[in-house]
């Protein structure tokens, strides 16, 4: 431990000897990083959301050009009064269809509406099968009359497009289009935020009128709306900063000391943004909160520094002495806490989702910079401040009054009181573990869970779901088969059995497959006899039935080596996705397709992508948290060389974590890519509180004080700062509850809870653990002072 003391002392001497040069270098770095930060922009991508190497996404990438629906936009033209079967409405539909065709990133092969040539009617006549366009090439939008509209309406109904391309009540018609991740000509990545802007301006802004509404859904529109809401984060960030400034000033009664932690935390955010630009990263709308979470960590450590400086000033030290005291006493615990937070965020890289990996790297960079800005820059800058004797006396009186209040918690040092606190903690832990069991992974709300229920995107989603039968959420299962398997009865029969199996799963609206279409085609070839809605066993008859089906439907490829089943779900809530995926796996396990040469593969479609993400988050969450706790254990043991310290710091943190999971379950907040970093952050904040309190406790014990006196002293010196920090940060993030983004509001509520519960655990359960451990396993000899102070 002496070596650590010497190391910290040498650092202190070096930085304060060269404080002017050090601050000048940091200022120059801030200017450079500020210029780079000004170039940072928001970026989003569909592929960034997909887990790399997952079974489902491997299937998606392999067949993305043959299967439609994973990355799709749906545009609906709805007549506000009456129905779509009027010249004005059909002309409006034609105009919107043409606009969709020429949007950037649209795969024109996939565009389908009543006006596209891939919307055809197949029927049996006296002369055999007949196919015709719903709206023929000889029909023009400006020459529609009543007779033509009646014919179009009749063909749409006979073609089975009611409920899919036409609303059940006839009030609206849909245009469907799939997006390409990159332009096939230029190979440039699709700019989703720019596309979202065009969807709003070139479609809704241009074609929506008092008589016709334009409703748009899909990933591109969703991420655009999230980005628009994310730009409002700056308002809440400014509000939180103002509240923090007011609270810090109330605490230290010095404008300079107030601005110091805020300014140093801001500097690290500037460095963070500049580094992201250097690395070629953008700021993903779903990760927009991360810099502000890191800012909150900085404020937390800054308040501890201000507390140490204020304490030294109140005891009569000058600015240089107070700054040196702050540096030496907080460098080790602050570094331990920040390294723990760094490890917590860097473990996010374990999740093989590019967006989360970027998020983890972004957060880790910011936390790493906090070691410099909050533990070095802040005390060096404070050393230049001048504190009057009058200010020192007022601060001393204020500190004494606050200390008297908080040190009353020293009653926990009594072994009987400690047992009572621990008994309550054990009961709470048991209830929290029990109640958090069965919490959901993934979104628990329909529509876009990141947006408010009354957001335009979610209102559009609700309107479309209400009027159309075809679910917007598709789970696509792929069947890899031998060549020309479209003519094989055993293969199609297996797919048909799967179709029937999935049709019975709760939450499944319908299942579309080649076998189901072939059955109806067979009936059509036999005068529409309903008894012959079945798969013909003869390969030639089967070939004829399948031959009338369009390959462009995405249910099979030309070589018949790939067939697919589209499973339409009621929504994409976790409670709907999990049973559907489980049913597919159960069928695959119960009815092994390998004897038929079939490989049943999950999964494509937007639900397949969501399922892959949910599974990765669920699989990686426990290892991530174990790595974080392992890092805490290693750092605590390395710093204190005492297993008691490890238990005293980790057990309250574990209780707080499970209380957080219970809280999430009660508020229907699923564990997603947005909430996972919050739980990691909460762990880091909890460790901060624990480190600072345990450090001061050991210092007092090393002076030969009794446990009661030592605990009262520790709480008096850092307990007030801990409570104040938790309340200040909670008030700041609580304002997020009013955000237009639901996921930001959820994060604000969750962070507020986690800040407060971690603080309560640190000032009650941690001391009780320390007392109980000291009683059960008394230390031999005097307690050694930790390497953190004078």
């Amino acid at each position: 431990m002496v070596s650590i003391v010497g190391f910290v002392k040498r650092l202190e001497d070096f930085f304060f000897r060269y404080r002017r040069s050090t601050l000048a270098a940091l200022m120059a770095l801030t200017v450079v990083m500020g210029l780079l930060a000004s170039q940072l922009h928001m970026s989003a991508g569909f592929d960034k959301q997909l887990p790399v190497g997952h079974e489902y996404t491997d299937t998606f990438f392999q067949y993305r050009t043959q299967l439609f629906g994973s990355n799709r936009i749906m545009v609906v033209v709805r007549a506000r009064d009456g129905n779509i079967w009027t010249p004005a409405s059909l002309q409006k539909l034609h105009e919107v269809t043409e606009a969709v065709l020429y949007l950037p990133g649209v795969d024109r092969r996939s565009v389908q509406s009543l006006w596209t040539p891939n919307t055809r009617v197949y029927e049996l006549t006296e002369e055999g099968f007949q196919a015709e366009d719903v709206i023929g090439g000889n029909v023009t939008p400006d020459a529609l009359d009543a007779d033509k509209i009646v014919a179009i309406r009749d063909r749409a109904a006979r073609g089975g497009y009611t409920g899919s391309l036409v609303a059940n009540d006839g009030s609206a018609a849909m245009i469907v289009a799939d997006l390409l991740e990159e332009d096939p000509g230029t190979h440039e990545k699709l700019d989703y935020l720019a596309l979202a802007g065009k969807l709003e301006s070139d479609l809704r802004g241009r074609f929506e009128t008092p008589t016709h509404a334009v409703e748009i859904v899909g990933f591109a529109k969703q991420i655009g709306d999230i980005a628009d809401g994310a730009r409002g984060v700056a308002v809440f960030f400014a509000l939180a900063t103002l509240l923090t400034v007011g609270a810090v000033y109330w605490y230290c009664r010095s404008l300079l000391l107030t601005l110091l932690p805020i300014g140093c935390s801001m500097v690290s955010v500037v460095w963070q943004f500049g580094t992201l630009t250097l690395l070629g990263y953008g700021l993903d709308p779903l990760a927009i909160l991360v810099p502000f979470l890191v800012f909150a960590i900085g404020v937390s450590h800054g308040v501890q520094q201000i507390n140490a400086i204020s304490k030294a000033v109140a005891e009569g030290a000058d600015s240089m002495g107070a700054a040196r005291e702050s540096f030496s006493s907080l460098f080790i615990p602050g570094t331990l806490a920040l390294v723990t937070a760094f490890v917590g965020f860097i473990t996010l890289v374990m999740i093989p989702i590019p967006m989360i990996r970027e998020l983890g790297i972004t957060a880790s960079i910011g936390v790493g910079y906090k070691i410099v800005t909050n533990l070095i820059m802040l005390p060096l800058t404070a050393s230049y401040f001048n504190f009057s004797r009058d200010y020192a006396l007022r601060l001393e009186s204020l500190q004494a009054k606050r200390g008297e209040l908080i040190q009353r918690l020293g009653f926990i040092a009594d072994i009987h009181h400690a047992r009572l606190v621990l008994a309550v903690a054990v009961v709470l832990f048991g209830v929290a573990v029990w109640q958090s069991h069965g919490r959901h992974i993934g979104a628990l709300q329909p529509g876009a869970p990141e947006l408010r229920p009354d957001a335009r995107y979610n209102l559009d989603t609700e309107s479309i779901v209400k009027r159309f039968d075809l679910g917007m959420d598709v789970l696509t299962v792929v069947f890899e088969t031998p060549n020309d398997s479209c003519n094989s009865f055993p293969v199609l029969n297996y797919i048909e059995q799967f179709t029937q199996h999935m049709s019975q799963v709760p939450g499944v609206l319908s299942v579309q497959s080649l076998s189901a279409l072939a059955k109806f085609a067979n009936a059509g070839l036999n005068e529409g006899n309903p008894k012959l809605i079945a798969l013909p066993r003869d390969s030639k008859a089967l070939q004829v039935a399948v031959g009338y089906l369009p390959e462009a439907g995405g249910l099979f490829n030309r070589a018949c080596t790939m067939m697919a089943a589209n499973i339409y779900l009621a929504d994409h809530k976790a409670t709907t996705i999990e049973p559907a995926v489980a049913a597919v796996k159960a069928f695959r396990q119960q009815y092994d397709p390998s004897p038929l040469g079939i490989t049943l593969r999950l999964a494509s479609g937007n639900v397949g992508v969501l399922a892959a993400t949910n599974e990765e988050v669920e699989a990686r969450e426990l290892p991530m948290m174990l790595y974080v706790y392992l890092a805490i254990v290693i750092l605590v043991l390395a710093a204190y060389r005492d297993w008691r310290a490890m238990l005293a710091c980790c057990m309250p943190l574990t209780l707080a974590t499970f209380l957080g999971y219970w809280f999430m379950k009660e508020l229907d907040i699923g564990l997603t890519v947005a909430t996972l970093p919050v739980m990691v952050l909460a762990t880091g904040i909890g460790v901060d509180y624990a480190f600072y309190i345990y450090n001061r406790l050991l210092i007092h014990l090393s002076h030969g004080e009794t446990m009661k006196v030592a605990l009262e002293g520790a709480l008096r010196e850092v307990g007030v700062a801990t409570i104040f920090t938790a309340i200040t940060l909670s008030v700041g993030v609580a304002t997020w509850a009013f955000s237009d983004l639901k996921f930001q509001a959820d994060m604000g509520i969750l962070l507020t809870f986690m800040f407060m519960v971690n603080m309560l655990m640190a000032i009650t359960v941690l001391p009780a653990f320390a007392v109980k451990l000291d009683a059960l396993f008394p230390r031999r000899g005097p307690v050694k002072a930790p390497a953190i102070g004078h």
Side-chain angles (χ1 to χ4, degrees), residues 247-329:
V248 175
Y249 181 80
W250 174 86
Y251 181 78
C252 67
R253 307 299 168 89
S254 167
L255 184 60
L256 287 175
L257 287 180
T258 297
L259 297 178
L260 191 56
I262 303 296
C264 289
S265 295
M266 287 288 191
V267 167
S268 65
V269 173
V270 172
W271 292 2
Q272 180 185 21
F273 285 168
T275 305
L276 290 180
T277 303
L278 281 175
L279 294 175
Y281 290 158
L283 196 58
D284 194 286
L286 291 174
I288 192 69
L289 296 181
V290 171
F292 307 125
L293 298 182
V294 175
F295 174 80
I297 293 179
V299 171
S300 173
H301 288 276
V303 168
Q304 293 291 347
Q305 292 277 357
I306 295 304
N307 179 64
I309 293 171
S310 301
K311 177 177 175 291
V313 169
E315 292 174 353
D318 60 7
S319 58
M320 176 63 80
R324 280 180 170 268
E325 172 66 23
S326 171
F327 181 95
S328 62
S329 64

Side-chain angles (χ1 to χ4, degrees), residues 35-352:
L35 293 174
L36 290 171
S38 65
Q39 303 172 28
L40 187 67
H41 61 279
M42 281 194 186
S43 68
F46 182 75
D47 285 5
K48 286 171 59 178
Q49 317 289 321
L50 310 182
V52 177
H54 194 281
E55 174 195 355
Y56 305 170
T57 49
D58 286 346
T59 302
F60 165 76
F61 283 123
Q62 183 173 346
Y63 294 104
R64 70 184 305 171
T65 59
Q66 303 174 52
L67 299 170
F68 300 132
S70 297
N71 187 11
R72 168 176 289 181
I73 58 171
M74 298 179 179
V75 182
V76 170
V77 176
R78 177 171 59 84
R80 298 184 189 272
D81 296 309
N83 57 51
I84 202 74
W85 305 114
T86 64
S89 295
L90 289 177
Q91 185 170 357
K92 178 75 69 175
L93 178 65
H94 179 268
E95 292 171 351
V96 176
T97 302
E98 290 295 305
V100 169
L101 274 168
Y102 293 98
L103 284 171
V106 166
D107 185 353
R108 294 179 187 174
R109 302 170 305 159
S110 67
V111 177
Q112 186 177 22
S113 83
L114 293 180
W115 283 98
T116 56
N118 56 1
T119 305
R120 314 199 75 198
V121 181
Y122 297 90
E123 58 186 351
L124 185 69
T125 68
E126 294 177 352
E127 299 176 356
F129 259 109
Q130 178 178 310
E132 60 179 331
D133 295 341
V134 170
I135 300 180
N138 60 341
V139 178
T140 58
D142 54 354
L144 289 168
D145 54 35
D147 293 336
K148 289 180 179 178
I149 291 176
V150 169
I152 293 170
R153 184 174 186 173
D154 177 62
R155 286 193 291 270
R158 288 187 287 116
Y161 295 108
T162 301
S164 56
L165 291 181
V166 179
N168 288 315
D169 59 0
S171 63
M174 179 183 292
I175 304 112
V176 180
D178 286 299
L179 299 178
L180 300 170
E181 189 65 18
E182 63 178 32
D183 188 292
T186 63
H187 298 289
E188 292 182 357
K189 289 286 185 181
L190 175 62
D191 186 338
Y192 280 90
L193 301 185
L195 175 60
K198 284 185 171 294
L199 289 172
E200 190 64 36
S201 61
D202 294 0
L203 291 187
R204 198 185 329 258
R206 180 181 170 191
F207 296 110
E208 190 166 64
T209 65
T211 57
H212 291 91
V214 177
E215 298 163 344
I216 312 169
V217 296
F219 172 80
K221 190 66 181 73
Q222 176 182 338
I223 201 69
D225 287 1
I226 292 172
D228 289 340
R231 294 184 179 96
V233 169
V235 175
F236 293 97
F237 177 59
L239 179 59
T241 302
L242 286 175
L243 290 172
T244 303
V245 167
V248 175
Y249 181 80
W250 174 86
Y251 181 78
C252 67
R253 307 299 168 89
S254 167
L255 184 60
L256 287 175
L257 287 180
T258 297
L259 297 178
L260 191 56
I262 303 296
C264 289
S265 295
M266 287 288 191
V267 167
S268 65
V269 173
V270 172
W271 292 2
Q272 180 185 21
F273 285 168
T275 305
L276 290 180
T277 303
L278 281 175
L279 294 175
Y281 290 158
L283 196 58
D284 194 286
L286 291 174
I288 192 69
L289 296 181
V290 171
F292 307 125
L293 298 182
V294 175
F295 174 80
I297 293 179
V299 171
S300 173
H301 288 276
V303 168
Q304 293 291 347
Q305 292 277 357
I306 295 304
N307 179 64
I309 293 171
S310 301
K311 177 177 175 291
V313 169
E315 292 174 353
D318 60 7
S319 58
M320 176 63 80
R324 280 180 170 268
E325 172 66 23
S326 171
F327 181 95
S328 62
S329 64
L330 297 180
F331 186 80
I332 292 299
T335 301
L336 290 176
L338 288 171
V339 168
T340 303
F342 177 87
V343 172
F345 280 122
I346 205 65
T347 55
L348 292 172
V349 179
M350 292 174 54
I351 300 180

Side-chain angles (χ1 to χ4, degrees), residues 404-418:
E404 289 175 3
L405 293 175
I406 190 63
Q407 74 179 34
R408 294 177 183 176
L409 283 173
F411 79 90
I412 296 174
D414 182 273
I415 188 64
H416 300 293
H417 294 156

Side-chain angles (χ1 to χ4, degrees), residues 19 46 55 71 112 273 326 360 374 403 427 434 496 530-531 544 574 578 580-581 603-604 666 669 677 737-738:
R19 56 177 178 160
F46 182 75
E55 174 195 355
N71 187 11
Q112 186 177 22
F273 285 168
S326 171
N374 288 79
V427 172
W434 171 49
E496 176 59 19
K531 294 182 179 180
V544 172
E578 289 172 8
V581 172
S604 188
E666 289 299 317
I669 301 175
F738 303 100

Side-chain angles (χ1 to χ4, degrees), residues 20 87 101 158 160 288 343 367 411 431 481 526 551 660 699 737-738:
R20 188 169 299 175
L101 274 168
R158 288 187 287 116
I288 192 69
V343 172
V367 170
F411 79 90
V431 174
T481 61
N526 290 276
E551 181 189 342
I699 286 178
F738 303 100

